[in-house]
Amino acid sequence: MSLRVTTAGLFQQGVASMQTQSQALAKIQAQMATNMRYTRAGEDPVAAARALNVDKALADAAQWKSNIGSAQDHLNLEEGALSGATDALAKIRELAVQANSGTINDSDRKSIAQEMGERLKELMSQANARDGQGGYIFSGSRSQSQPFSKIGGGFSYQGDTMVSQLAIGSNRNIAMSDAGNDVFMSIGSGDGRLAVAASAGNQGAATVQTLGFNDSSQWDGGSYRISFSGGNYSVLDADSNVVSSGAYSDQQSIQFRGAAITLTGTPSDGDSFTVGPSQQQDVFTTVQNLINVVSAYGRTSAQTAQDQTTMYNALQSLDTAINHITDVRGGVGARLNVLDDATSQLEARTVQLKETLSGLREIDYTESAAQLSQTTTTLQAAQQSYLKIQNLSLFDYLR
């Protein structure tokens, strides 16, 4: 059976060919005009779906970068406040050591105490520092409440222990700040392990020179009292059991339960010192204790000896506070370094995602130009073929 080709069929075929090429040409021209491979998802469903996923990844990266910027701003402000607090504490320590000299008089001590009081106000100001939005840096989640205040003879914290976390990556968060309770309030007294105090009734001239461990593994965390009688010392535990004793010698180490204390000066019979584990104490109270010692005028020799021990323990507590705040500041610096690294990683990822998105959505101009030329040529050929077919007739052939 032969295939019958009609003139109408030839015409329809020619028109269909020209329409197909015209549509292809229009599509290429639209792509080159918009720089987009498709305008509807149906034109390339696979690429469109992948592009949506890349769009989401880019949006996530943009949000994480914004969070990083917010965290950097907040942490930089915290670092500045901690730096100011450390500077204030260093100056207070310098003043305390100056006041502890035996060469200054009560008038000098009064001036030093006044300056220490101003430094304490400066310390409080740094602890109550605000961020760029007016919130308090160290109030935890209660950013609109001033965290620290002096009430009566003590200091209180009105913030909470909650710290805001910001997402800086997939399943990756970072703390925007530190709670003020952890920074300024919960600090060990003494050297952070041991604390010492002279009994208020001491009449001798003995003061603490050093206190520490010679073998911390033997320490049981108890409280001990060192008493003196007849030129001898006895170390008693909380149940008044003697755990160590011997002849007292100036600047000779008294050792018990892995701890070692050295006294200088001669104690009177009945004098005693207490040694125990350090207790949590806020930095403001530590500074106030120093101010109280410096402000004590007209003291007897026995009271001066007691003040020396109080000064020793207060300076130890101050050093512990300075080290603690310095550690917190180091943690802030470490988080800032993490944010810098996260920023670099996000920037690199953003570049990769944009390149991927470009490959999914944008055209290759060189390839598109070649397709445009080819499609134009094909359309022109179809048009020429149609013209020739249109002009054909049997009479033209017989002529």
Side-chain angles (χ1 to χ4, degrees):
M1 186 176 81
S2 62
L3 181 64
R4 183 169 177 264
V5 179
T6 64
T7 301
L10 290 174
F11 286 168
Q12 290 175 352
Q13 185 177 5
V15 170
S17 178
M18 288 188 292
Q19 288 178 337
T20 299
Q21 297 305 320
S22 294
Q23 291 172 353
L25 182 62
K27 179 179 179 180
I28 295 172
Q29 288 174 331
Q31 288 175 337
M32 296 186 71
T34 61
N35 193 34
M36 300 290 290
R37 290 178 55 191
Y38 56 87
T39 57
R40 294 181 297 105
E43 296 177 11
D44 193 338
V46 175
R50 290 184 59 195
L52 286 175
N53 290 332
V54 176
D55 278 334
K56 183 180 182 303
L58 282 170
D60 289 342
Q63 183 60 58
W64 293 333
K65 288 177 69 174
S66 176
N67 290 351
I68 286 173
S70 297
Q72 285 175 325
D73 291 342
H74 207 276
L75 288 172
N76 279 323
L77 289 171
E78 180 182 352
E79 200 279 335
L82 292 173
S83 175
T86 304
D87 291 343
L89 289 172
K91 183 59 179 178
I92 289 169
R93 191 186 195 288
E94 179 184 330
L95 291 167
V97 172
Q98 181 182 346
N100 202 34
S101 171
T103 61
I104 65 173
N105 55 37
D106 284 351
S107 178
D108 294 330
R109 291 169 67 89
K110 181 177 180 180
S111 297
I112 291 173
Q114 289 175 343
E115 184 174 353
M116 291 174 71
E118 293 302 315
R119 296 293 180 176
L120 176 56
K121 292 179 183 178
E122 179 184 342
L123 176 63
M124 288 283 291
S125 176
Q126 296 293 349
N128 287 324
R130 296 174 182 260
D131 59 24
Q133 286 72 46
Y136 291 96
I137 294 175
F138 297 108
S139 283
S141 66
R142 301 177 63 185
S143 61
Q144 299 307 309
S145 299
Q146 178 176 306
F148 300 100
S149 60
K150 185 176 183 180
I151 301 176
F155 300 85
S156 64
Y157 177 63
Q158 285 83 42
D160 59 30
T161 58
M162 296 179 65
V163 175
S164 297
Q165 300 275 341
L166 278 181
I168 61 170
S170 180
N171 299 319
R172 189 180 185 188
N173 299 325
I174 197 162
M176 285 185 67
S177 63
D178 295 274
N181 186 67
D182 297 331
V183 179
F184 298 101
M185 302 299 285
S186 303
I187 304 175
S189 61
D191 66 356
R193 302 177 301 172
L194 293 174
V196 62
S199 296
N202 284 1
Q203 298 299 312
T207 63
V208 175
Q209 189 174 52
T210 63
L211 173 66
F213 286 116
N214 57 14
D215 186 357
S216 60
S217 66
Q218 297 182 27
W219 179 247
D220 61 358
S223 295
Y224 295 86
R225 180 169 59 90
I226 306 169
S227 62
F228 300 89
S229 178
N232 296 314
Y233 72 86
S234 297
V235 181
L236 298 91
D237 62 18
D239 297 322
S240 297
N241 298 313
V242 177
V243 297
S244 179
S245 62
Y248 172 76
S249 178
D250 186 16
Q251 299 187 29
Q252 179 179 342
S253 176
I254 298 174
Q255 302 183 16
F256 58 95
R257 295 288 194 269
I261 183 172
T262 302
L263 303 176
T264 183
T266 303
S268 297
D269 288 352
D271 286 358
S272 65
F273 294 82
T274 58
V275 175
S278 64
Q279 305 296 316
Q280 287 192 346
Q281 178 175 285
D282 64 87
V283 65
F284 313 110
T285 297
T286 294
V287 174
Q288 188 62 60
N289 288 342
L290 280 169
I291 295 174
N292 293 342
V293 175
V294 175
S295 301
Y297 316 128
R299 307 282 280 174
T300 65
S301 59
Q303 290 172 328
T304 299
Q306 294 173 32
D307 291 344
Q308 289 294 314
T309 296
T310 303
M311 177 69 78
Y312 171 84
N313 194 67
L315 283 172
Q316 290 288 96
S317 299
L318 185 62
D319 287 340
T320 300
I322 291 173
N323 291 335
H324 174 74
I325 294 175
T326 299
D327 289 342
V328 174
R329 187 179 174 188
V332 171
R335 274 176 279 167
L336 285 169
N337 289 336
V338 168
L339 292 176
D340 288 339
D341 292 340
T343 299
S344 298
Q345 294 170 9
L346 281 176
E347 287 176 348
R349 176 168 172 76
T350 298
V351 170
Q352 293 174 347
L353 289 172
K354 287 182 177 179
E355 289 177 352
T356 301
L357 190 62
S358 175
L360 291 170
R361 285 183 174 162
E362 297 178 8
I363 63 171
D364 183 331
Y365 267 101
T366 302
E367 181 181 350
S368 295
Q371 290 178 350
L372 177 65
S373 177
Q374 181 180 0
T375 304
T376 301
T377 301
T378 304
L379 176 59
Q380 290 174 345
Q383 291 171 339
Q384 292 295 326
S385 297
Y386 179 78
L387 288 175
K388 289 183 179 181
I389 293 172
Q390 187 182 34
N391 290 329
L392 286 178
S393 74
L394 178 60
F395 298 104
D396 289 333
Y397 178 78
L398 294 174
R399 189 185 303 169

